[in-house]
Amino acid sequence: VADMKSLKRATAEEILRINYWLKNNLDKIKNQSVANLLYDGVVNQGSNGTRFLVEKALRYLKKPMSYYKVFTEMGVDFLNKLNQEKLFNKIKDVRLDKYKKSKDHFAFRSWVNRLKKIVYSSDNSKAYS
């Protein structure tokens, strides 16, 4: 705990950038809103949990892709070819549904509130590269 308290913000941001943003190829997602939504997911639920939710969203969109491919370069290329607004909305819907079905919904309330603040934009400026 003491190590975390003394961690500088710039160091924490670099850890997040390397271990979540770059590791999951989010820098290659063409729409910043989709990238932000996925980033929020991998930070909160881990890469595996987010991959399962993306796989589920893709099934709803009738664009199935294997869970294992979601954050690969091939998977990101596939995601980039989809309608970005529909992809964003379906991933967000699936995440909200997961939170709402949780037996401990109260524990996820802050996640739901934060997720609701992530909105779609066609602006493609990147937060990280």
Side-chain angles (χ1 to χ4, degrees):
V1 176
D3 290 344
M4 291 300 291
K5 288 182 180 181
S6 65
L7 188 67
K8 294 182 179 172
R9 182 177 180 94
T11 302
E13 288 176 356
E14 184 64 7
I15 290 168
L16 289 168
R17 188 180 78 80
I18 291 169
N19 292 319
Y20 295 94
W21 188 261
L22 296 176
K23 182 178 179 181
N24 292 292
N25 289 309
L26 300 178
D27 58 314
K28 295 175 178 71
I29 297 285
K30 75 177 184 179
N31 179 275
Q32 187 62 46
S33 299
V34 172
N36 291 346
L37 184 65
L38 293 171
Y39 176 72
D40 182 71
V42 298
V43 169
N44 283 293
Q45 298 159 296
S47 296
N48 290 338
T50 302
R51 281 199 304 250
F52 277 118
L53 294 175
V54 171
E55 179 188 42
K56 184 175 185 177
L58 291 171
R59 281 195 312 266
Y60 281 121
L61 293 171
K62 300 194 183 322
K63 304 286 186 183
M65 178 173 50
S66 168
Y67 153 88
Y68 296 104
K69 295 180 183 177
V70 171
F71 292 128
T72 66
E73 287 190 29
M74 184 176 83
V76 167
D77 185 53
F78 177 81
L79 295 176
N80 282 334
K81 291 177 182 173
L82 300 176
N83 177 301
Q84 297 297 286
E85 188 171 6
K86 287 181 181 179
L87 177 64
F88 175 91
N89 288 329
K90 189 50 65 179
I91 293 170
K92 188 172 180 178
D93 288 346
V94 167
R95 287 184 61 196
L96 281 170
D97 189 54
K98 177 179 174 51
Y99 297 158
K100 289 176 181 176
K101 288 180 179 176
S102 170
K103 291 179 182 175
D104 191 7
H105 178 65
F106 181 78
F108 293 109
R109 188 174 298 167
S110 64
W111 286 11
V112 169
N113 291 338
R114 189 167 81 210
L115 183 59
K116 287 181 177 181
K117 292 177 184 176
I118 303 172
V119 296
Y120 180 80
S121 172
S122 59
D123 178 16
N124 291 325
S125 59
K126 294 289 185 181
Y128 290 122
S129 57

